[in-house]
Each structure stands twice: as C-alpha cells, then as structure tokens.
Amino acid sequence: MARRSGLFVTFEGGEGAGKSTQIRRLADVLRSRGCDVLVTREPGGSIGAEAVRHVILSGAAEEFGVRMEAILFAAARNDHVEEVIRPALAQNAIVLCDRFMDSSRVYQGVTGNLESDFLDALQRVAIHGLRPDCTIILDLPAAIGLARVRARSEGASLDRFEREELQTHEKRREAFLEIAASDPVRCRIVNAERDEDVIADEVLSIIAPQVEELGLGKRAGVETAG
C-alpha cells in the first residue's frame, strides 16, 4: 500500500487503564494547536462496526466461541479502516484510536487461545496494509484497573470482557508488555498508575515530535500540556 498522509496513533491497555481520558486530553491539546484530529474506537468507529460492537460487548456472540468473535472483530475493523480511518489520514488528520490490532492479538490470541496463523490471516484482510505509526500502551496492574471500572460503573452491568477473572486481565497486561518489547519502535509503554496530568504530559511528549516532523496543524511545535 502507498504511504498515506496524516498520523495514526492507537492506545492500548487493560480495562480501566485510562485510554479514553488520555485520548481526549491529547486531542484537546492537538486541536488547540491547529491540528485536525479524529477520535475513534474499537470495536466500533463506523456505522457498520458500531452494530457489531453491540453484539460483541453484550456477550451475544460468546456462545459461538472465540473464533466467531475474532471474525466479527475483523469485519468491524475492516469497515472502520476503510470507511473512517483511511479517509481521515488521506486528509492529513491525526487519528487517535482507542484499541486496534494489538487488542485482537491479546484478547482473542493470548487469552482466547486462537492460533496465530488464523489471527494473522484475519488481520491482513481487516487492515489491508494500514498499521499505526505509534501505539501508546497504558500499563496498569489489572487489580487497579478493574477497581476503577467497577467504581465508575456505579452498579451498571459490566461488559463481556470486564466481567472476566482477574487472572485473565493480568495475563492480558503481560501480553501487551510483550508486544511492546517485540516492537519498540512503534510501541511506547506509559505507566498509568500516576497522576492523570503526568500521564498526559508524557503521552504528548511522545506524539509531539511526530506531529512536528509531519508538519501537521497550523503550529507544528507542540509543547507539553502542563
């Protein structure tokens, strides 16, 4: 695939790691400096993918097994990539996505026990050559993340993944760290146990040089949020 314009940044990590908060904060700073920013998420992000999101997170597909669930994720991702992400990048936008391909490798591959060849084949079809320029992995002990999720739910029902056992969540944390170790150029680990402002500053310090290098926005020099 030909190199596209724009900057594609994905955020990964366990439940309750603060991805949504940090994406919002980064988007606000970048927009204030003249950047065109698209915030999106997976599963979901496009009309077709949002319909699949409801099926997956409700647990309606769980009885059909993790293989079917992985196929649904791939279908949703393909629609998301072709209908939303790729067109935005072609217009020089900065795309900030809450979860992407690494979540499939962790959730369906590592803890779903799907064979890597099967997942890799699904991935090739789903992303069609589109890979993130940078992936921020917000690292947090699973027990802390789950406590945050339950506190903010205020009695509401948890989704299909939030309901799973602590041991499963900790295994996913370890898997994200392994992905980062295997791809250190793309992936950056950020300690998510710290104050929200400190995390936001570090995230921005990672993304700012890439924004400047590409000359995105009216002011390419993006200082820290603090």
Side-chain angles (χ1 to χ4, degrees), residues 12-45:
E12 300 281 7
E15 309 300 329
K19 297 184 303 302
S20 299
T21 297
Q22 293 304 324
I23 289 172
R24 173 183 53 77
R25 293 188 60 144
L26 178 60
D28 287 346
V29 174
L30 294 177
R31 285 171 178 149
S32 73
R33 286 155 174 77
C35 297
D36 181 10
V37 180
L38 171 69
V39 172
T40 189
R41 67 178 182 177
E42 289 206 350

Side-chain angles (χ1 to χ4, degrees), residues 44-53 79-80 83-84:
S46 63
I47 294 175
E50 286 292 334
V52 178
R53 176 187 176 88
D79 191 73
H80 187 206
E83 297 298 324
V84 175

Side-chain angles (χ1 to χ4, degrees), residues 149-166:
V149 168
R150 287 162 184 156
R152 75 187 182 204
S153 70
E154 298 180 342
S157 60
L158 303 178
D159 71 31
R160 146 92 171 82
F161 299 104
E162 292 167 343
R163 293 194 298 267
E164 292 178 321
E165 298 294 326
L166 175 61

Side-chain angles (χ1 to χ4, degrees), residues 75-137:
R77 178 163 299 137
N78 181 257
D79 191 73
H80 187 206
V81 164
E82 301 304 333
E83 297 298 324
V84 175
I85 299 176
R86 203 185 301 276
L89 293 172
Q91 296 297 317
N92 293 321
I94 300 172
V95 177
L96 307 180
C97 188
D98 185 342
R99 297 200 183 281
F100 196 60
M101 61 184 192
D102 295 309
S103 280
S104 290
R105 293 170 64 185
V106 170
Y107 281 71
Q108 282 77 57
V110 175
T111 57
N113 297 315
L114 276 184
E115 54 272 36
S116 59
D117 288 348
F118 178 75
L119 271 181
D120 289 345
L122 284 179
Q123 197 81 279
R124 285 193 297 272
V125 173
I127 67 177
H128 197 205
L130 181 67
R131 294 177 60 84
D133 297 295
C134 181
T135 297
I136 303 294
I137 296 179

